[in-house]
Amino acid sequence: MSKELDKELYPDYEYPEYTPNPEEPFREPIAKLGKLITDRVPQKLGLKKITREDPEYWGLAAVLSDEEAELALKLGVRQPKTLPEIIKLSKLEPSKCEAMLEGMARKGLLEYNYENAARVKQYVLPMYVPGCAEFFNMNAELLEESPEVGIFFERMSRLPLEKITPFVPEGGAGIGMHVIPVEKAIEMENESVDLEHISYWLDKYEGKYAASPCSCRRSRMKYDEGCADDPEGWCIAVGDMADYVVETQKGGEYITKEQALDILRQAEENGFVHQITNIDGKNKIFAICNCNVNVCYALRTSQLFNTPNMSRSAYIAKVDKTKCVACGKCVESCPAGAVKLGQKLCDKDGCEITYPRKPLPSDMPWGEHMWTHNYRDVNRINCYDTGTAPCKTACPAHIAVQGYLQLAKEGRYDEALALIKKDNPLPAVCGHVCNRRCEDACTRGTIDEAVAIDEVKRFVAERDLNAETRYIPKPVVPSLRGGFDEKIGIIGAGPAGLSCAYYLALSGYKPTVFEKNAEPGGMLRYGIPSYKLEKNLLAAEIDVIRELGVEIRCGVEIGKDITLDQLRAEGYKGFYVAIGCQKGRMPGVSGQDAAGASTAVDFLKEAGAREDFDFEGDVVVVGGGNVAIDVARISSRCTDHQVSLFCLEQREEMPASEEEISEALGEGIQLNPGWGMKEILEEEGRVCGVVFKKCVRVFNDEGRFAPEYDEDDTVTVDCRHVIFSVGQTADWGDILDNTNVKLRPNGSAMANKLTYQTGEPDIFVGGDIYTGPRFAIDAIAAGREGAISLHRYVHEHCTLTIGRNRRDFVELDKENIKVEAYDESRRQIPPKGDAAMQAETFRDLSHSFTEEQVHAETSRCLSCGASVVDPNKCIGCGVCTTRCVFDAIHLNRALPGASVMRTSEEKLKYILPNMVKQSVKVKFKKKPKKE
């Protein structure tokens, strides 16, 4: 049974609406031309009249005069005619006729070529798609004046295909576009044919190329469904079409073959799909497009109608499970949603897990019930409902754990670091302070002990400490102009803000981070002691972010030193607020304001920076989490007096990790679980003790925090200092003055749970200021999502949600697996630092794995996840193969018929027989036996 999707994250799709002006007179020549060009069968055959509500009418009416429509009617669809022939037909004065034809070509209604023996210019009335609907959208001036042609293109690339798509045979039967694979994915394929190679088409049209704007990207932007790609230059016109897009002011620019290859390379880096026109047979194309499935109408045909024959290549991707490590990069890049994560391990009965395949029109009766209107969203579902590797699932950033373990095992450390940094810009930091949810979930832990994933990451990530081995990722920009000029401000240089800046930089931006403290890092710098996270390590990873072009301005408090309105006046288009929870909560007991009482946040910031504190007596720390442990351990390094920790929870209930508790006990911290504060005792305005009362219950029957006490069971503890680690809250200052950002009662910001957009459209939030206090890896994951939202937001008319990866993963059932063979070695333990010395110093005396330990530990991974391809959804683009560094996914030429290209005029000759064939097959298909 499929998991029910959250409608807030996966909403039903609603198509854009357009209502023509009913007051305008109906124009018969426009209606006649609309009927001539359309491929909608009822309208074409006259079974339904073209009305003003039909896109065939209002799309042309917005662009053409009646006189132009009358002239176009004389040309016939796709029947090339020279100027003398058209003059003869139209009986127009030659100069006027030529001027009209040239004007109609500039608009986009007509195209022209020189495909005759004399190489004489001939004009052609094209079909709607591929044809004039696209050309209208390539004409920037026309699109601005008549924005409805954006929706016109959407309609005419969809409506004519609604009934016919199930019956289209392999090869597309001369309809629309045809996927052509990434060339390096098939270069070793002996059975490939010429037209399956991009190089073949580039050679065929040697010297005649023009980069022109993508009409799909432009069209979608007209009804606010843009994807934030720069639309310019992605479509490579070839042959006579190159001249056409340049000479008729369609934004075309002549390019060399080398420039064309560079565009194709950049398209592959972005995960765009190569497609060629498929309406002129095997000997002619007029464009090579580089398509983003989030906007492309040609890719939509197969995805919306679930009919892959419409556009697929002759190839299907296949995974070699022995090599696959479920890194998920092929899944993230698959435009068709054909690759998802599954598992490699058999179930407890020893049977391989089977995965559902999308039904095809040859399997069952077809209709709208089989369509997927929100295909752009559901194609981004990452794994099957039966689940995948628990390590990747449990990690908030969903790092490719199996992947980097395998690369480290092979000694490919640079590649391992590169793979980690696709999902985590601060891996060295996380290698020291992560709470290791991946290890808690690790399948190996059901056998003996979890793989020491974090220790391997720490070993790999420490390459960033050395400038010679430091990995600086290469930006991948969805623009052919090198980057984006839009200014984006990030408020807060903690893990969420730094992560947001990192991913924006990788997308081509130069964001500015504003930090009110003297140094960047947020709680990583001011809340985590150096004996756990040395500041030079943090600085090294921040330096990488700076090298990507991120500017970090420290000592600047937004709302005080400069306001958001002032930044907007300077040209900033969007903001990511990630200021964290920098203010400690007070316990609400008498005496809490006495001298010697402070919050953990304030104490950590001062003592951590100075690595010293002025203690004059015993110290009491109140709290049971990791922060409280940090406070206690820092305190013990700053005084020879007694440090005691009191918390509500019993030892086994404490939220602090067992490792942290053990280290604190080893350093002489006195642990007192099961006590809550009653009051702070004062003497001359200064702390002199704390009265605690016995906590008999922390949570109520519903699991909510509702402590209960025995008020008669108390203990008084003498001390001169008490530090409260009972929670953190937001300190907004004046940042939100004059904004519509709404806050929850606890002070955190309210925002959309997918986009993180607040009530102030240009303000996005993330990290602790949105979720409340969590861990660094949670903030890092949130920063990535903030970057995606801001990239889309700062470009007008783009959707924040459609086609977005929800990063939702499902853990495989560890109770239903069979593990037959595995490396039986025990979990490796890094060399221990001297415990006594560590208790006295702020320096980190811990050690990383040796290289030998890395090899031994990575061999313990069960490699329980793997990618799975649904061949019924795969369109054979090969994008997945460009993402795999394990040589685990390849294209196989399984559908040679998909490379048979026909002309548009032949389509019914091949569609009708296939319709009969499929109908017979479906009718006589054996029904599955009932159990």
Side-chain angles (χ1 to χ4, degrees), residues 847-918:
H847 298 281
S848 299
F849 272 164
T850 64
E851 195 163 0
E852 292 74 18
Q853 286 182 304
V854 167
H855 181 77
E857 189 61 23
T858 52
S859 297
R860 298 181 64 243
C861 177
L862 298 177
S863 193
C864 51
S867 293
V868 179
V869 176
D870 181 350
N872 288 359
K873 286 184 68 65
C874 179
I875 58 174
C877 64
V879 170
C880 57
T881 68
T882 69
R883 299 299 189 265
C884 183
V885 297
F886 302 95
D887 194 35
I889 189 165
H890 300 93
L891 292 186
N892 292 272
R893 196 169 187 267
L895 303 167
S899 286
V900 178
M901 299 174 69
R902 309 290 185 185
T903 66
S904 176
E905 288 71 22
E906 297 178 283
K907 55 179 174 282
L908 292 181
K909 177 181 173 182
Y910 296 98
I911 290 173
L912 293 176
N914 197 55
M915 180 188 301
V916 174
K917 178 182 174 183
Q918 283 191 184

Side-chain angles (χ1 to χ4, degrees), residues 192-206:
S192 68
V193 296
D194 287 346
L195 58 79
E196 294 169 353
H197 294 260
I198 290 177
S199 58
Y200 165 78
W201 296 106
L202 290 177
D203 291 344
K204 182 178 180 69
Y205 294 99
E206 184 73 49

Side-chain angles (χ1 to χ4, degrees), residues 421-671:
K421 284 198 170 187
K422 289 184 183 297
D423 301 301
N424 182 357
L426 303 171
V429 167
C430 289
H432 285 72
V433 302
C434 190
N435 64 327
R436 304 178 182 181
R437 276 170 268 183
C438 54
E439 295 185 20
D440 291 341
C442 178
T443 306
R444 180 64 187 248
T446 63
I447 297 174
D448 45 30
E449 295 178 282
V451 176
I453 296 167
D454 206 48
E455 294 293 350
V456 176
K457 178 167 78 236
R458 171 173 168 166
F459 172 90
V460 170
E462 284 178 353
R463 301 177 73 77
D464 265 352
L465 298 179
N466 186 335
E468 295 179 0
T469 56
R470 181 172 293 169
Y471 175 70
I472 312 293
K474 176 188 174 185
V476 176
V477 184
S479 169
L480 295 169
R481 295 188 258 202
F484 296 109
D485 296 328
E486 286 78 7
K487 297 173 74 172
I488 297 174
I490 297 167
I491 303 168
L498 292 172
S499 175
C500 183
Y502 171 87
Y503 286 108
L504 283 169
L506 290 184
S507 295
Y509 297 89
K510 303 293 183 186
T512 303
V513 182
F514 299 94
E515 170 58 54
K516 74 175 183 179
N517 289 311
E519 297 289 342
M523 294 302 287
L524 297 175
R525 178 177 294 278
Y526 294 105
I528 298 177
S530 295
Y531 59 78
K532 289 171 64 175
L533 178 63
E534 291 281 15
K535 300 307 178 273
N536 66 322
L537 185 149
L538 173 62
E541 295 206 302
I542 293 174
D543 283 346
V544 171
I545 296 172
R546 281 193 171 108
E547 288 193 47
L548 287 170
V550 175
E551 180 184 2
I552 303 177
R553 297 184 190 174
C554 292
V556 179
E557 184 173 350
I558 304 300
K560 179 181 178 182
D561 300 314
I562 190 169
T563 66
L564 291 178
D565 281 340
Q566 288 173 313
L567 290 173
R568 289 179 181 118
E570 291 181 14
Y572 283 84
K573 301 294 185 184
F575 303 95
Y576 186 66
V577 181
I579 58 174
C581 292
Q582 306 171 52
K583 186 176 180 180
R585 289 189 183 277
M586 300 298 283
V589 298
S590 63
Q592 66 182 21
D593 296 322
S598 62
T599 66
V601 172
D602 293 337
F603 171 77
L604 288 171
K605 184 173 182 180
E606 181 178 347
R610 291 170 48 200
E611 297 189 351
D612 194 10
F613 199 81
D614 298 325
F615 284 124
E616 300 172 356
D618 291 350
V619 181
V620 167
V621 178
V622 181
N626 287 335
V627 173
I629 298 290
D630 285 342
V631 169
R633 294 180 67 190
I634 287 181
S635 298
S636 72
R637 286 162 170 75
C638 297
T639 182
D640 293 328
H641 295 277
Q642 180 62 53
V643 178
S644 304
L645 187 146
F646 288 78
C647 64
L648 296 172
E649 302 85 359
Q650 295 300 317
R651 165 71 186 270
E652 61 275 9
E653 297 174 324
M654 289 176 64
S657 70
E658 185 58 39
E659 182 181 9
E660 293 271 0
I661 295 170
S662 296
E663 289 176 349
L665 292 173
E667 294 182 4
I669 309 298
Q670 284 191 2
L671 181 60

Side-chain angles (χ1 to χ4, degrees), residues 31 61 120 195 208 213 230 235 241 309 376 431 463 491 544 594 613 629 656 743 778 837 889 893 909:
V120 175
L195 58 79
K208 290 294 289 290
D230 181 347
C235 182
M241 184 57 67
N309 283 350
R376 289 175 285 176
R463 301 177 73 77
I491 303 168
V544 171
F613 199 81
I629 298 290
L743 305 180
D778 295 283
M837 290 180 62
I889 189 165
R893 196 169 187 267
K909 177 181 173 182

Side-chain angles (χ1 to χ4, degrees), residues 750-769:
M750 297 177 67
N752 180 278
K753 69 178 182 180
L754 175 61
T755 67
Y756 296 103
Q757 187 177 37
T758 68
E760 191 74 30
D762 64 349
I763 297 178
F764 298 78
V765 293
D768 291 356
I769 203 65

